[in-house]
């Protein structure tokens, strides 16, 4: 989540420091909000040609083959694929940082995400400043601040208790970072989805930046709930039992790209993203959904806040007192948080999860009576006592449908 200062994305700096969220004066609440991860894709490339988006596959010699469309997109921006994989991706020069909705490129760099690199990914640290964005109570409807709900550790093994949940890892100008994410259903491929839902700030830096790089999803990260000490000697198979799945496409809202910031509430009402993934080492033909055994439907017609029962938020909080290695959940009845009168009112729940949990799925009883994803963690206070997530409406559905359509003809 983003503190109205970064609260939920994690970053790996030169030393493993925990990131916390920036503080921000809240809506008549005098509370600092923190924005968790950073980055979101855009939701405009809806009609992209499905034929141009082939996934990376493994050749008979086990080497990763970069799809022609990715090579072509890199070339269009003057990027050499071999130099990129050799470290050119570390160039964050503003002029070379791809930003627009259709600019997303994320070629697989095999074994980049090893156990050490994943373990060291952190939340933004306390050095991040906080923008003093007033969220005044007369802008839309905001309910009283909820009482904190203590986050509870999800029992091991995670695959049996929250199979759709995992971590998203990515590189930013500040270092290696992490968010949380959820496997969701794909209407174009029932039972065989390769779609992952997360926050926009976990894939795109917003108004002052562009697409993050080396974005990969690891379902059931640290499945056996090893402690921070135990996981230091873990193998990649133990840390990522279902593999690393690279995002070969991502989309977020235009609002996030144009308005989103690392701190404050700008863009929070549209802070969501959908990633289409492909396995790092190829596969036996199984989709992500088939590999983990589950995917959640997304409800874009969830009842009004007053009619919603409990919502359960899931994530991997990394800022103190958490260590980012284990999965937690909070369950609470939602209230309303209004960032601006002209923007959709957000859901808000009591929860003590901190940075790193950004992008994690919020699940409630959907309009059809079954569990469904209805939001994702976006922002929260620096002090960690509550979380807020966007209402998923027309804009969110457009992004979801666009990514599904883009890969509809792909088996």
């Amino acid at each position: 989540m983003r503190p109205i200062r970064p609260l939920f994305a994690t970053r790996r700096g030169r030393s493993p420091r925990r990131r916390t969220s920036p503080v921000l004066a809240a809506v008549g609440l005098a509370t600092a909000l923190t924005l968790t991860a950073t980055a979101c894709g855009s939701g405009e490339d809806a009609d992209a040609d499905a034929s141009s988006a082939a996934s990376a596959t493994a050749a008979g010699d086990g080497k990763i083959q970069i799809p022609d469309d990715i090579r072509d997109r890199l070339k269009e921006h003057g990027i050499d694929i071999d130099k990129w994989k050799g470290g050119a991706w570390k160039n964050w020069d503003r002029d070379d940082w791809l930003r627009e909705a259709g600019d997303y490129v994320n070629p697989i760099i095999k074994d980049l995400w090893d156990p050490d690199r994943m373990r060291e990914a952190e939340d933004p640290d306390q050095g991040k400043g906080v923008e003093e964005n007033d969220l005044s109570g007369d802008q839309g409807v905001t309910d009283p601040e909820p009482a904190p709900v203590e986050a509870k550790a999800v029992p091991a093994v995670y695959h049996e208790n929250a199979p759709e949940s995992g971590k998203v890892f990515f590189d930013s100008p500040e270092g290696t970072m992490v968010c949380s994410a959820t496997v969701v259903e794909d209407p174009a491929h029932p039972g065989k989805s390769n779609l992952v839902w997360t926050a926009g700030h976990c894939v795109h830096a917003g108004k002052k930046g562009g697409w993050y790089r080396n974005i990969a999803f690891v379902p059931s990260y640290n499945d056996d709930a090893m402690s921070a000490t135990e996981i230091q000697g873990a193998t990649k198979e133990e840390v990522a039992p279902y593999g690393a799945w690279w995002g070969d496409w991502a989309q977020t809202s235009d609002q996030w790209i144009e308005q989103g910031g690392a701190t404050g509430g700008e863009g929070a009402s549209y802070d969501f993203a959908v990633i289409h993934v492909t396995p790092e080492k190829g596969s036996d033909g199984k989709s992500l959904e088939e590999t983990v055994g589950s995917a959640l439907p997304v409800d874009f017609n969830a009842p009004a806040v007053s009619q919603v029962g409990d919502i359960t938020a899931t994530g991997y909080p990394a800022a103190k007192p958490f260590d980012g290695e284990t999965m937690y959940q909070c369950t609470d009845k939602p209230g309303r948080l209004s960032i601006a009168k002209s923007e959709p009112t957000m859901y808000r729940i009591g929860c003590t999860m901190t940075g790193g949990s950004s992008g994690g799925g919020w699940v409630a009883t959907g309009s059809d009576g079954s569990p469904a994803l209805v939001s994702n963690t976006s922002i929260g206070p620096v002090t960690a006592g509550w979380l807020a997530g966007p209402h998923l409406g027309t804009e969110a559905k457009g992004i979801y449908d666009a990514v599904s359509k883009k890969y509809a003809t792909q088996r």
Side-chain angles (χ1 to χ4, degrees), residues 167-249:
K167 278 189 172 187
V168 166
F169 296 91
F170 57 97
D171 283 301
S172 77
E174 289 77 31
T176 300
M177 304 183 81
V178 66
C179 280
S180 299
T182 308
V183 183
V184 294
E185 293 180 354
D186 181 353
H189 297 286
K192 298 182 179 182
S193 176
N194 284 309
L195 302 186
V196 173
W197 192 283
T198 190
H201 72 258
C202 297
V203 297
H204 194 288
K207 62 183 177 181
K208 293 185 178 180
W211 293 100
Y212 290 123
R213 297 169 183 168
N214 304 324
I215 298 171
F217 174 67
V218 176
S220 296
Y221 173 83
N222 187 20
D223 200 26
D224 292 326
M226 291 180 283
S227 68
T229 300
E230 294 172 328
I231 205 170
Q232 288 186 17
T235 65
K236 187 169 183 178
E237 288 68 29
E238 291 173 318
V239 173
Y242 299 95
W245 296 70
W246 283 64
D248 49 4
W249 189 254

Side-chain angles (χ1 to χ4, degrees), residues 334-389:
R336 295 165 291 184
L337 175 65
S338 179
I339 300 296
K341 191 173 183 180
S342 62
E343 297 182 358
T345 299
M346 301 177 73
Y347 292 118
R348 181 165 62 164
I349 61 172
C351 185
T352 60
M353 284 199 289
T354 58
S357 56
S358 266
W362 289 29
V363 178
T365 300
S367 53
D368 67 353
S370 301
L373 186 138
V374 297
S375 188
N376 57 262
T377 297
S378 175
I379 56 175
V382 177
T383 52
W386 53 265
L387 304 177

Side-chain angles (χ1 to χ4, degrees), residues 28-40:
L29 320 159
T31 312
L33 296 184
T34 130
L35 242 139
T36 272
T38 314
C40 262

